[in-house]
Structure formats: structure tokens, C-alpha cells
């Protein structure tokens, strides 16, 4: 379970890092702030289109192989953003990123039922609610980590914030100008932005791929566990039915023998 949690924590953290910094990346590195709308549309659209394909790959070749392939594509694509400076190149890279965006969400969630069945095999209990509850907590934790790390890194590099104002005594044009991002940032900040959008998320996916390799449940072991759990459930069902039948027979026999309120047989009446 801890391995699956680590896989799930690395993936969304990497995605949130990109989401948090993509607007700054478009403005200060690509030189076109409006490009972020096209990038988001391409990434989300490709993710929806390619998701059925990853579902097919996972069923045919296994969940781990799906993550190996999709995670590797994400690593290379994200790392390349460090060197991208042209808009067309950024859009092409966005297609590759979007085509694999479902991997860090779909695969860990598909691994979780395997963990639940393994837990049932060892303890005899089903605890889906606990596991899925922890998953939700760790998703929120990944967002918190990504946002905090981004704010700390940019502040340490000397990021120049927009001028803050409450708008008192300013016209609408002056308010928009005051809230606008500065046109330039120090070179150190630019380097940090490149790192936060490219190599840093790629490192998270490399760590996630390593954790997938450590995941001990394979397709073969999962099938074996499923068969054992099925036989165990059938055995318990038969035992439960036998117990109910025995109790029912005992009640019928007691009634036919004239058991009194104290649980003793009324012999005189029977005679």
C-alpha cells in the first residue's frame, strides 16, 4: 500500500508543479501569455482521446508496463521543456504530455484493488473505505507540497511580484496595469521556472517508475490471489448457509418436541 501511495503521490505532485508554473513559463520563456489556453486545451483533449488506448494497453500488457511506457514518455517530454523556447515546439511537446496524462491517475487507482485483495487474503477483512480515504488525503498533500515548493523556490530566486493594490482611487485601466505581471524577471528566476516545469516533474516520474518496479503484485500473483479469495468466499458462504440450516433445524426440532420456556422438554405432554 505504501508503494502505491508513493506512486500516486509522485504523479499528481509532478502534474501540479507544471500546472502551477505553466502561466509564468508561457509569459517569461515562450513570450506569449495567451499560449497557456492552447496548451491546456491540447493537454486535456489528448488525455481524453488517448485514455481508452491506455486502458487497452493495461489490460493486454499489464499495469506496470503501462506505467513504464507512459511514465517514460512523460519524463522525456517534461525534461525537454527546459530547452523549449518556441511556441510551436511547446505545442508539440504538449501533445505528448497530454497523451500520457491519464497514467499517473489511472494506474495507481487500478493498483489499489490489488492491494485491497491482498489485505483481504491476509486479514480476512475488506477495508476499501480506509484505503480510498487515504488516497484522497495524499492527493491533497501532493497539491500542498507542489504549491509550497513553488512559492519557496521562486521567492528564494528573487521573483518580482505584481504590484498589489486595493484599487482605491484608481481607474479600471490603472488597476489592470497594477495587477499585471512584470514584463521581465531575473535570470535566476527564469532558470527556476524552467526547472519547475521540466526537470523537477520529470524527476518525480522517475521516482514513480522506480516504485512501480518495486510493486510486488504482478498479474500472475493477482490472478492467484483472486482464485484463493474466491474459494475462501465460497467456503464462508457454505459455512454460513450450513450454520443457518442447522439453527433452523434445531428450532424446528425443539418446537416439535415441545420445548418449554426454560428450554426443557415437557415429557408428560409428549406422553
Amino acid at each position: 500500500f505504501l508503494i502505491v501511495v508513493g506512486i500516486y503521490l509522485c504523479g499528481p505532485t509532478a502534474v501540479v508543479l507544471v500546472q502551477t508554473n505553466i502561466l509564468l513559463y508561457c509569459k517569461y520563456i515562450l513570450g506569449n501569455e495567451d499560449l497557456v489556453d492552447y496548451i491546456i486545451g491540447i493537454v486535456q483533449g489528448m488525455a481524453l482521446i488517448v485514455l481508452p488506448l491506455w486502458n487497452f494497453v493495461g489490460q493486454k500488457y499489464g499495469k506496470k508496463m503501462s506505467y513504464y511506457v507512459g511514465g517514460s514518455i512523460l519524463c522525456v517530454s517534461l525534461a525537454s521543456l527546459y530547452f523549449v523556447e518556441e511556441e510551436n515546439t511547446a505545442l508539440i511537446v504538449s501533445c505528448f504530455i497530454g497523451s500520457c496524462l491519464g497514467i499517473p491517475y489511472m494506474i495507481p487507482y487500478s493498483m489499489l484493488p490489488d492491494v485491497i485483495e491482498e489485505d483481504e487474503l491476509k486479514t480476512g477483512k475488506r477495508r476499501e473505505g480506509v484505503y480510498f480515504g487515504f488516497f484522497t488525503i495524499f492527493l491533497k498533500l501532493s497539491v500542498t507540497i507542489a504549491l509550497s515548493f513553488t512559492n519557496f523556490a521562486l521567492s528564494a530566486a528573487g521573483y518580482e511580484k505584481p504590484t498589489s493594490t486595493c484599487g482605491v482611487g484608481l481607474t479600471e485601466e490603472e488597476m489592470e496595469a497594477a495587477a499585471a505581471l512584470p514584463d521581465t524577471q531575473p535570470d535566476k528566476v527564469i532558470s527556476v521556472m524552467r526547472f519547475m516545469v521540466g526537470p523537477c516533474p520529470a524527476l518525480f516520474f522517475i521516482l514513480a517508475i522506480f516504485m512501480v518496479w518495486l510493486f510486488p503484485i504482478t498479474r500472475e500473483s493477482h490472478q492467484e490471489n483472486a482464485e484463493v479469495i474466491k474459494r475462501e468466499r465460497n467456503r464462508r458462504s457454505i459455512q454460513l448457509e450450513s450454520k443457518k440450516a442447522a439453527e433452523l433445524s434445531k428450532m424446528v426440532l425443539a418446537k416439535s418436541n415441545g420445548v418449554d420456556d426454560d428450554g426443557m422438554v415437557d415429557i408428560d405432554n409428549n406422553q
Side-chain angles (χ1 to χ4, degrees), residues 123-139:
T123 64
K125 300 178 181 179
R126 298 283 296 186
R127 297 184 285 192
E128 296 94 332
V130 175
Y131 286 114
F132 280 102
F134 273 112
F135 251 47
T136 303
I137 293 174
F138 283 112
L139 177 60

Side-chain angles (χ1 to χ4, degrees), residues 9 26 33-34 36 44 50 58 87 100 119 124 138 153 181 187 196 222 239 241 246 261-262:
L9 189 62
C26 290
E33 186 177 350
D34 297 331
V36 66
Q44 297 294 334
V50 183
E87 296 181 11
C100 303
D119 180 58
F138 283 112
L181 294 174
D187 293 339
M196 298 291 287
H222 173 256
Q239 287 182 344
E241 293 296 330
D261 294 336
D262 293 330

Side-chain angles (χ1 to χ4, degrees), residues 4-261:
V4 176
V5 166
I7 297 169
Y8 188 65
L9 189 62
C10 289
T13 301
V15 173
V16 173
L17 277 173
V18 179
Q19 291 176 341
T20 305
N21 295 279
I22 191 64
L23 177 61
L24 301 177
Y25 180 84
C26 290
K27 178 175 178 61
Y28 296 113
I29 297 175
L30 299 180
N32 185 359
E33 186 177 350
D34 297 331
L35 191 66
V36 66
D37 297 329
Y38 297 98
I39 291 178
I40 293 176
I42 290 174
V43 170
Q44 297 294 334
M46 288 296 298
L48 291 175
I49 293 173
V50 183
L51 191 60
L53 176 61
W54 286 118
N55 184 41
F56 170 77
V57 173
Q59 292 179 353
K60 186 173 180 61
Y61 300 103
K63 305 166 188 176
K64 298 177 73 171
M65 181 57 66
S66 298
Y67 207 102
Y68 291 151
V69 176
S72 299
I73 295 174
L74 282 171
C75 286
V76 176
S77 301
L78 289 169
S80 67
L81 289 177
Y82 186 86
F83 307 98
V84 172
E85 294 182 353
E86 296 182 358
E87 296 181 11
N88 293 333
T89 306
L91 294 177
I92 294 173
V93 174
S94 300
C95 292
F96 285 99
I97 294 174
S99 64
C100 303
L101 188 62
I103 291 295
Y105 296 95
M106 180 180 68
I107 299 301
Y109 264 105
S110 65
M111 288 179 169
L112 187 57
D114 300 347
V115 175
I116 294 173
E117 290 184 353
E118 183 77 14
D119 180 58
E120 181 184 3
L121 187 62
K122 293 181 178 180
T123 64
K125 300 178 181 179
R126 298 283 296 186
R127 297 184 285 192
E128 296 94 332
V130 175
Y131 286 114
F132 280 102
F134 273 112
F135 251 47
T136 303
I137 293 174
F138 283 112
L139 177 60
K140 296 181 181 297
L141 179 62
S142 68
V143 174
T144 303
I145 292 174
L147 294 176
S148 301
F149 182 62
T150 297
N151 292 335
F152 173 78
L154 291 176
S155 299
Y159 174 73
E160 297 181 2
K161 303 177 182 179
T163 304
S164 60
T165 177
C166 61
V168 177
L170 298 179
T171 63
E172 184 176 351
E173 291 77 9
E174 291 174 338
M175 290 176 60
E176 291 179 356
L181 294 174
D183 291 332
T184 59
Q185 293 288 345
D187 293 339
K188 188 176 181 180
V189 174
I190 298 298
S191 298
V192 170
M193 290 179 185
R194 290 179 182 273
F195 180 76
M196 298 291 287
V197 173
C200 186
L203 291 174
F204 275 103
F205 277 113
I206 291 174
L207 181 59
I209 292 173
F210 175 71
M211 291 184 180
V212 170
W213 180 74
L214 294 177
F215 187 65
I217 302 177
T218 62
R219 174 183 289 186
E220 292 75 16
S221 63
H222 173 256
Q223 291 177 350
E224 293 175 0
N225 291 342
E227 291 295 330
V228 173
I229 291 174
K230 183 178 180 180
R231 290 196 299 267
E232 183 65 19
R233 288 175 180 174
N234 291 336
R235 185 184 65 81
R236 292 177 184 175
S237 179
I238 293 174
Q239 287 182 344
L240 182 60
E241 293 296 330
S242 300
K243 184 177 180 181
K244 290 182 179 179
E247 292 177 352
L248 182 61
S249 300
K250 185 177 180 180
M251 292 175 59
V252 173
L253 181 61
K255 185 176 182 180
S256 62
N257 289 336
V259 178
D260 59 16
D261 294 336

